[in-house]
Amino acid sequence: LLGGKTSRAQDIMKLSVDSSSFDLIAKPENIGLVVGLALGNESAVETIATGVYKHTFTPIAAGKNSSLPSFTAIIDRVIAAKAYTGLKVESISFKCDAGDYMRITVTCSGRNEEEGTISEELEVPSLKAFRFAGGTCSFDGSDFGEITSVTVDYNNNLDDGAQTLGSGYFGTEKQPQQRDITVTLESFYNEETETIREQKYKKESTIAVVLNFESPSEIVEGTNYGIKFDMPLVCINSCQPNVSGAGKINLSIGGKALESKTEEALTVELTDSKETKYLA
């Protein structure tokens, strides 16, 4: 009816950078900026001792006056180096298994692809990574050592950034919606975890979960680089002991971090040698 066999032209209607992800081993030199970009808010740096500083990160406040920080990532593909602008962290996952380092997966999306140049001053982090060995976990202030794996997932639930007449080829700036923060702890079924199951999982009670990890590298003599995950109001929503054989009964404890008027759902504290903030 139109007289054509197929389309005779095609136009670009919108430009964007789809969701992409990257993985890294958590080291003192690279984890601070990544955590800051994901959570969005960094408090004033505290001086713990000479040359030792504490950085405190919390989820950025909701509202039109709060905007998750964006960043540019440059990827050198040998044939060409491309810069991806306007990136924001959609989600970040921290995972630390027995006998392994802490590993981070970051998912992000952005605005545009441009020509980029890799800095010649880049250096591979030389400090030792945070690792499972030497880590600690506490429930309501009591240390619990029988943990075999830890996972903390943080999702910003970014909106799509609608295209408007004013935004041209691009969408409007993506912003975080209600955040989802979950923790998964692999353990064994014993008296301590049975207490958690009976008093927390099967009742409308929350539990305070604190995780600490260290790097063998020292900031100054006697003080190691460290990172702390503080979730004071965790609702346990999964706690099922599974009998799968004649050995120990494994138990996976899953929970969602909640907030109150006075307490953040998640606070991440990084102790390192950097005197200034990661988020300018």
Side-chain angles (χ1 to χ4, degrees), residues 74-261:
I74 301 175
I75 301 176
D76 188 354
R77 296 193 175 97
V78 182
I79 300 300
K82 299 295 182 180
Y84 297 92
T85 62
L87 291 173
K88 291 195 175 187
V89 175
E90 293 183 347
S91 64
I92 185 169
S93 176
F94 306 88
K95 185 173 179 60
C96 199
D97 295 330
D100 200 3
Y101 301 110
M102 179 186 290
R103 300 180 183 273
I104 301 177
T105 298
V106 180
T107 302
C108 51
S109 60
R111 185 174 187 270
N112 196 20
E113 178 188 79
E114 302 174 1
E115 295 299 321
T117 303
I118 295 292
S119 172
E120 298 295 333
E121 299 179 358
L122 290 178
E123 296 181 0
V124 177
S126 59
L127 296 175
K128 294 184 178 181
F130 297 100
R131 60 187 65 178
F132 185 87
T136 64
C137 172
S138 70
F139 296 136
D140 284 341
S142 299
D143 288 342
F144 182 73
E146 293 195 8
I147 299 292
T148 60
S149 177
V150 174
T151 304
V152 177
D153 292 314
Y154 184 95
N155 193 333
N156 278 310
N157 290 313
L158 293 179
D159 61 25
D160 292 332
Q163 185 180 17
T164 66
L165 289 175
S167 66
Y169 283 114
F170 305 97
T172 54
E173 188 174 0
K174 298 181 179 182
Q175 299 295 356
Q177 306 304 301
Q178 181 169 299
R179 269 50 63 89
D180 287 325
I181 307 166
T182 59
V183 58
T184 304
L185 305 169
E186 301 296 335
S187 182
F188 302 111
Y189 185 52
N190 52 32
E191 292 181 356
E192 288 83 357
T193 53
E194 168 63 7
T195 299
I196 293 174
R197 189 171 188 272
E198 288 294 320
Q199 297 185 2
K200 304 297 181 179
Y201 172 59
K202 295 172 68 174
K203 297 181 180 180
E204 293 181 349
S205 300
T206 59
I207 188 171
V209 178
V210 177
L211 304 167
N212 283 285
F213 297 95
E214 283 189 349
S215 162
S217 297
E218 293 184 330
I219 308 172
V220 295
E221 185 175 356
T223 303
N224 296 73
Y225 290 88
I227 187 168
K228 174 183 177 182
F229 299 85
D230 187 0
M231 293 164 280
L233 300 170
V234 175
C235 175
I236 302 298
N237 52 29
S238 175
C239 194
Q240 297 296 340
N242 296 315
V243 180
S244 57
K248 290 183 177 181
I249 300 177
N250 296 321
L251 178 67
S252 180
I253 303 173
K256 180 175 182 178
L258 310 177
E259 67 178 4
S260 69
K261 290 183 178 180

Side-chain angles (χ1 to χ4, degrees), residues 255-276:
K256 180 175 182 178
L258 310 177
E259 67 178 4
S260 69
K261 290 183 178 180
T262 58
E263 294 178 294
E264 295 283 356
L266 170 66
T267 300
V268 179
E269 296 178 357
L270 175 65
T271 304
D272 63 11
S273 60
K274 184 176 172 61
E275 186 177 1
T276 57

